[in-house]
Amino acid sequence: MNEKNNYDELLALIIDGIENVKGENITVMDLRHIDNRSTDYFVICDGNSNTQVNAIAGSIQKRVSKETSDKPWHVEGTELANWILMDYVNVVVHVFQKETREYYNLEDLWGDAKFTNIKTDQTIN
């Protein structure tokens, strides 16, 4: 399988994991064209509480592990759950509470990245 397909599959699984627990404001940042980057992609989203932030991180981990048997290389931030970072080496996921996301504003810090905002169906049946 080529690199693009690997990225596509992992990104799709991460996004699905976020959507499964109603994570919001999903942004994929492609950093591959930036020199001295630490990873190839950031996936950023937010939740409304520390409980939801933890649920999003758990959902991502379950979804990725179920389909690929991959586990994050490193996870941090689960204690306070204001900002959970999940490092899948080439893809780093940032799950924020809204206020924390606004404060750190990674999108501005990495303004040279290529951004894709994921539109989710928030309709409740």
Side-chain angles (χ1 to χ4, degrees):
M1 188 180 291
N2 69 34
E3 183 177 290
K4 182 177 181 340
N5 288 340
N6 287 335
Y7 285 136
D8 289 347
E9 179 184 14
L10 181 56
L11 290 169
L13 292 169
I14 290 167
I15 291 165
D16 188 54
I18 295 167
E19 291 175 333
N20 280 341
V21 287
K22 306 290 187 213
E24 299 175 348
N25 303 315
I26 304 168
T27 301
V28 176
M29 297 169 58
D30 184 344
L31 307 169
R32 292 176 294 173
H33 66 282
I34 298 174
D35 293 335
N36 300 318
R37 68 189 183 276
S38 57
T39 189
D40 292 332
Y41 289 93
F42 281 165
V43 178
I44 304 173
C45 71
D46 53 65
N48 295 310
S49 66
N50 59 345
T51 302
Q52 187 183 21
V53 167
N54 265 320
I56 293 167
S59 178
I60 293 167
Q61 198 162 350
K62 285 178 193 165
R63 186 75 177 104
V64 171
S65 178
K66 179 181 175 185
E67 294 296 324
T68 68
S69 300
D70 285 344
K71 296 188 182 327
W73 178 73
H74 181 73
V75 177
E76 61 184 67
T78 56
E79 300 80 27
L80 296 176
N82 290 323
W83 175 2
I84 296 178
L85 180 142
M86 305 174 72
D87 187 349
Y88 284 94
V89 183
N90 293 322
V91 178
V92 175
V93 183
H94 300 272
V95 184
F96 286 102
Q97 285 194 40
K98 288 181 186 209
E99 302 78 28
T100 306
R101 182 177 182 172
E102 290 169 5
Y103 179 80
Y104 286 101
N105 200 358
L106 294 183
E107 290 91 339
D108 274 359
L109 287 175
W110 291 89
D112 291 341
K114 294 178 183 172
F115 292 83
T116 304
N117 294 315
I118 307 299
K119 304 295 182 203
T120 58
D121 180 11
Q122 296 292 336
T123 304
I124 299 173
N125 296 328

